[in-house]
Amino acid sequence: MKIFLKIWRQKDAKSNGKLVDYEMDNVIPHMSFLEMMDTLNEKLVLSGEHPVEFDHDCREGICGQCGVMINGRAHGPLKNTTTCQLHMRSFKDGDTIYIEPFRAEGFPIKRDLKVDRSAFDRIIGAGGFVSVNTGQAPEANSIPITHEIAESAFDSAACIGCGACVATCKNSSAALFTSAKISHLAKLPQGQQEARKRALTMVAQMDAEDFGHCSNTEACEVECPQGISVLNIARMNWEFLKGNVLK
């Protein structure tokens, strides 16, 4: 296939960026989207140009590093699919593809398609953990958890922290990410002791990172590659209100 690319190029956070045109011939439909980007970068390096910088790691839809906006959609046109799992057969010969970074106040651009998502790390560090005494592993049956609760907690924990929810939200809200991290611990007995503090500190850190407010348009759930439910946001709000009442 012949593909026309319009890729956002930006030297650093303080520089002005712009869309730059590239033309790719002989694109194999079975290529992954990132393999196509690798091929472009090989071409640029051989011609003495600086390659397009983008984030990636596992390329298995697990780590959440590969997110970019493709034709205006986080991770591209397929539902519940990360950028690294997207293949060029999703496009047609002669298509023009716009590739831009995730945009949000809390995701400053580092270069080209690379953004700084360390705000998510700081939100997790504010309370997304369980404090336990290390030592002998507890008996597996000492804290019985029903299958329904375990599965619900696992569904929340499936969030990979890619940031698609932020990028697709008109307010750049991180509510879905934060609520998933709060909910999966709040649903388990091990997370109950710190539930109040966790909700208050993580929401406070989310606000401090300049993410916008959730207005319940639910675009985040639609574009989330893991299909994380907005019911987690309702759970976060409940945990937050409960924490404020019990302060």
Side-chain angles (χ1 to χ4, degrees):
M1 301 188 299
K2 187 171 187 176
I3 298 293
F4 301 93
L5 304 174
K6 290 182 177 290
I7 302 178
W8 186 262
R9 304 300 308 264
Q10 184 171 336
K11 185 177 180 181
D12 52 47
K14 296 181 180 179
S15 302
N16 293 325
K18 64 178 181 179
L19 288 169
V20 178
D21 293 336
Y22 298 100
E23 188 175 305
M24 292 289 291
D25 296 312
N26 300 318
V27 173
I28 302 170
H30 299 304
M31 275 183 173
S32 73
F33 192 86
L34 294 189
E35 285 174 330
M36 181 274 295
M37 293 293 294
D38 291 337
T39 302
L40 170 64
N41 278 343
E42 289 176 6
K43 180 180 175 181
L44 293 177
V45 169
L46 289 173
S47 64
E49 298 181 56
H50 195 285
V52 178
E53 296 197 19
F54 59 93
D55 290 313
H56 65 91
D57 191 2
C58 73
R59 300 202 179 202
E60 295 178 346
I62 297 172
C63 71
Q65 291 297 303
C66 62
V68 293
M69 300 297 287
I70 301 171
N71 290 342
R73 292 191 64 178
H75 292 298
L78 300 185
K79 187 176 182 180
N80 302 138
T81 302
T82 54
T83 300
C84 64
Q85 293 176 304
L86 181 67
H87 288 80
M88 296 309 296
R89 55 179 172 266
S90 297
F91 304 95
K92 300 189 298 293
D93 182 34
D95 274 358
T96 297
I97 304 175
Y98 289 78
I99 310 171
E100 300 177 78
F102 282 174
R103 298 186 185 278
E105 190 73 21
F107 288 166
I109 293 177
K110 298 174 75 173
R111 182 164 187 152
D112 297 337
L113 306 176
K114 290 174 66 72
V115 298
D116 183 353
R117 279 174 282 200
S118 59
F120 276 7
D121 297 329
R122 291 188 289 273
I123 292 173
I124 296 258
F129 51 83
V130 174
S131 298
V132 296
N133 294 321
T134 59
Q136 184 67 32
E139 160 58 34
N141 296 316
S142 63
I143 305 178
I145 302 172
T146 65
H147 176 75
E148 291 77 11
I149 291 177
E151 285 297 305
S152 179
F154 185 81
D155 287 343
S156 298
C159 169
I160 59 176
C162 67
C165 52
V166 174
T168 200
C169 176
K170 63 182 181 181
N171 300 325
S172 297
S173 171
L176 190 65
F177 165 80
T178 306
S179 67
K181 300 305 179 182
I182 288 174
S183 295
H184 94 261
L185 293 175
K187 294 172 182 176
L188 299 173
Q190 297 94 328
Q192 291 301 312
Q193 284 192 326
E194 297 168 299
R196 179 184 65 82
K197 178 182 177 182
R198 179 182 303 113
L200 295 177
T201 56
M202 290 183 73
V203 169
Q205 187 63 42
M206 175 181 69
D207 292 340
E209 298 293 345
D210 290 329
F211 292 112
H213 182 69
C214 172
S215 53
N216 297 314
T217 58
E218 301 185 11
C220 52
E221 180 180 329
V222 172
E223 298 297 346
C224 174
Q226 296 296 321
I228 303 297
S229 172
V230 293
L231 291 176
N232 287 289
I233 298 177
R235 177 73 187 232
M236 175 182 71
N237 292 338
W238 181 69
E239 293 287 346
F240 180 78
L241 291 173
K242 185 174 64 172
N244 272 310
V245 169
L246 296 177
K247 276 200 300 188

